Amino acid sequence: MTTEFQETICRDAARRVLGELSVQKPDHIHLPTLAWLGGRRLIIEEGGLKTAEGRLVATADGGVIRIRSDIQPASRKRFTIAHEIGHRVLHGLSPSTDTLQDLRTWSKGSKETEANIFAGELLMPEFLFKPLVIRESPSLAFIDSLASEFRTSNLAAAVHFVMYTSEPCALVVSKNGNYCWSKKSPTFEFYIKKGILHKYTGAANLWAGKAERSGMQRTAAGAWLERFDLDDRGDIMEDSRRLDEFDMTVSLLWVYECI
Ligand SMILES: [Zn+2]
């Protein structure tokens, strides 16, 4: 796992880069300028990649961030560029070639996680993001609106949401009906079950091909959390959705009352 200390280093590095511009709102985060400043002298070019999403080739005199031309939506393109700037700032002149898998790696201690944390903070700086997060109840729809406002990927916005919300929330990513990884907010004090998703979870229902649920809905706490009995303990809220582009499911869990 990437330690809290490493995460702080990555976020601080992104804040220093942002400090090279006078950023007061998300629209001010102009990536071509940030790629160029600070002696990085990176230009951004599109095309020439088939399987990779992005690539960085850098020298002490400058270099190129190349991104796949047909990345959709545009917000994912921005996240890829920010990720490559992260490699340059955090990892120096080492070249990188990034796949979709690298850009969704948030849980393993690796250079990819570090570049993603950097990119998240670069596109959603705490001083702009946090005040918005505390205004609304947790939901994937609200996270969609944050991703749209900050023009970044929905998954990155969801990770940042649980990082900064004061509500007890967790983001769980699953694949083929199995737990993959999770991120908890600082106030989420529970243990999430690993392995095969319990059939009572909304996420398991999605994998089973049952109807998509919309918005936050009650789920038995014991379906998601360790140390809870399925029969006699309370409910939590769950908002789950398939992300077909990534072949996975994201679930936002929210402990909205004492359980
Ligand atoms: Zn990378």
Side-chain angles (χ1 to χ4, degrees), residues 83-84 87 96-98 102-103 111-112 115:
H83 176 103
E84 301 304 342
H87 277 312
S96 73
T97 300
D98 289 299
D102 296 323
L103 293 159
K111 288 185 175 181
E112 300 315 324

Side-chain angles (χ1 to χ4, degrees), residues 1 9 21 23 54 57 79 81 84 109 137 139-140 157 170 224 228 242-243:
M1 295 289 289
I9 289 173
L21 284 180
V23 170
V57 177
F79 189 79
I81 294 167
E84 301 304 342
S137 297
S139 72
L140 291 180
W224 276 110
F228 283 84
R242 285 286 291 265
L243 292 184

Side-chain angles (χ1 to χ4, degrees), residues 2 7 10-11 106 113-122 160:
T2 307
E7 290 193 14
C10 298
R11 283 200 291 271
W106 289 93
T113 311
E114 292 173 359
N116 284 333
I117 291 168
F118 176 98
E121 189 63 30
L122 194 73
H160 261 236

Side-chain angles (χ1 to χ4, degrees), residues 7-8 10-16 18 23-26 29 117-135 146 150 160-166 186:
E7 290 193 14
T8 301
C10 298
R11 283 200 291 271
D12 284 350
R15 288 168 190 154
R16 278 197 299 279
L18 280 175
V23 170
Q24 284 154 13
K25 58 182 187 175
I29 303 170
I117 291 168
F118 176 98
E121 189 63 30
L122 194 73
L123 298 176
M124 296 169 280
E126 180 180 3
F127 77 99
L128 293 175
F129 193 81
K130 198 170 180 178
L132 300 180
V133 163
I134 57 179
R135 270 193 220 158
L146 292 170
F150 287 85
H160 261 236
F161 176 84
V162 294
M163 194 185 294
Y164 289 127
T165 181
S166 56

